Amino acid sequence: MRRTLVMMSNITNNTSKRFFAPLKEPFSAGSSQLRKLEGVVFDMDGTLCEPQTYMFHQMRTSLSIPKTVDILEHIYALPTPAAQIAAMESIRSIEREAMASQVAQPGLVTLMTYLDSRGVRKGICTRNFDAPVQNLLEKFLSGSVFHPIVTREFRPPKPDPAGILHIAKAWGLVRRAGRGESGIPEEKEEEHEGAEAGEKNGTSTEEGLKKTEEGELVADASGLIMVGDSIDDMTAGRRAGAKTVLLVNDVNRHLVDHEHTDLVIERLDQLVEVLEEGLL
């Protein structure tokens, strides 16, 4: 399908037609060909807070790896559990120091207040560990609920779609699996109890995609929006079946026309207009 560009108040829409019903109007499944928005998933660093990209250079220096090597993949590939633990702690110490200087993205509170007023569920899917996430929420968004919060402890991380699909499953969003498809199966009661026991501070540690049987109920993220600032965010969202929104900056501007990017915004509060009017 040919992609088109529509400019509106510094918002770039890369889709050829609208998908979600406007939130300003009561949704009626029988009278609308548009989809109900079921929730929004956010990345954290560079999305909820301003980018702290200097951390990545510090992390790679600490681990003695080049820019071309993925930090988490390197750590997971280390030969012993002790080496993995030590490497993970070295990058956590960098993140702990950086979280003291977190700055909220412009429009953060406005957008979250709007989503709360419209009853839109919010989740987080990040490659950070839980402490910087909780620090940001307590500092800037106290009282605004995000659940589930999928952090680094969840494997595999983005760009794999498993974290976003886990959030969809937690919200009860399911569909029937096709033949030979991998997905996040709907939990049985005993699995649900085990997952609850494994959660700490609201963060999820359940792992990824599994082989499914044709017709089995699996997580469905097609009613979700993934908001992020990286190719990992856009790719994870696209692979999960969600619509994607890029929060553009000087570093990621090359992703504006990427095939995995559906909508581009310059500030978080521009999503208020998008969702209210059904522009995505």
Side-chain angles (χ1 to χ4, degrees):
M1 180 181 296
R2 185 175 182 271
R3 297 165 70 233
T4 61
L5 299 180
V6 180
M7 296 301 297
M8 45 203 174
S9 304
N10 296 321
I11 300 167
T12 303
N13 189 338
N14 291 345
T15 60
S16 59
K17 61 181 180 180
R18 296 182 179 184
F19 188 77
F20 291 112
L23 294 185
K24 67 180 181 180
E25 302 169 359
F27 180 78
S28 175
S31 61
S32 177
Q33 295 182 340
L34 299 174
R35 181 71 184 267
K36 178 184 178 183
L37 176 63
E38 299 287 358
V40 183
V41 180
F42 294 92
D43 171 53
M44 192 199 76
D45 183 51
T47 302
L48 297 180
C49 63
E50 292 188 352
Q52 295 178 298
T53 52
Y54 63 87
M55 287 192 300
F56 302 123
H57 173 73
Q58 293 178 351
M59 291 175 185
R60 289 190 169 91
T61 299
S62 175
L63 298 172
S64 300
I65 59 174
K67 186 176 181 179
T68 54
V69 175
D70 184 271
I71 293 168
L72 294 184
E73 288 183 3
H74 168 78
I75 293 175
Y76 296 148
L78 291 174
T80 66
Q84 293 178 15
I85 291 170
M88 194 66 78
E89 181 54 33
S90 73
I91 67 171
R92 284 176 175 169
S93 66
I94 293 168
E95 290 171 294
R96 289 191 192 97
E97 182 176 352
M99 74 184 190
S101 57
Q102 284 176 335
V103 176
Q105 279 283 3
L108 174 69
V109 174
T110 298
L111 174 59
M112 301 311 160
T113 300
Y114 169 76
L115 293 176
D116 291 342
S117 73
R118 291 299 191 190
V120 177
R121 292 174 289 198
K122 310 186 303 297
I124 292 174
C125 185
T126 177
R127 288 165 60 104
N128 290 81
F129 81 113
D130 61 322
V133 179
Q134 295 301 325
N135 181 74
L136 180 138
L137 297 181
E138 292 169 4
K139 185 175 181 180
F140 302 114
L141 294 170
S142 179
S144 188
V145 176
F146 291 77
H147 185 81
I149 298 172
V150 174
T151 62
R152 180 179 303 149
E153 284 66 33
F154 185 104
R155 293 177 62 184
K158 297 176 296 185
D160 194 281
I164 298 171
L165 289 169
H166 170 70
I167 292 173
K169 184 185 71 172
W171 289 342
L173 304 174
V174 295
R175 61 176 176 82
R176 297 287 178 183
R179 179 176 298 179
E181 187 177 2
S182 295
I184 304 288
E186 186 181 37
E187 282 180 348
K188 298 179 176 62
E189 184 174 355
E190 61 271 19
E191 293 172 338
H192 178 70
E193 292 173 354
E196 283 189 339
E199 289 190 355
K200 181 180 180 181
N201 296 328
T203 62
S204 172
T205 59
E206 181 176 332
E207 297 193 4
L209 302 182
K210 300 174 177 65
K211 291 182 179 179
T212 61
E213 300 292 333
E214 184 176 8
E216 183 177 1
L217 287 174
V218 295
D220 179 12
S222 62
L224 305 184
I225 295 173
M226 174 67 204
V227 183
D229 70 314
S230 72
I231 185 58
D232 287 346
D233 299 323
M234 300 299 99
T235 298
R238 176 56 58 88
R239 292 176 61 193
K243 292 298 183 183
T244 59
V245 174
L246 175 71
L247 181 60
V248 71
N249 56 47
D250 291 338
V251 175
N252 67 14
R253 199 164 295 276
H254 63 286
L255 297 176
V256 166
D257 294 321
H258 195 279
E259 62 181 347
H260 293 169
T261 302
D262 291 317
L263 187 83
V264 181
I265 57 175
E266 296 182 347
R267 292 173 50 99
L268 284 177
D269 52 4
Q270 288 179 318
L271 267 183
V272 174
E273 176 189 358
V274 170
L275 301 180
E276 187 74 355
E277 302 296 331
L279 300 178
L280 175 59

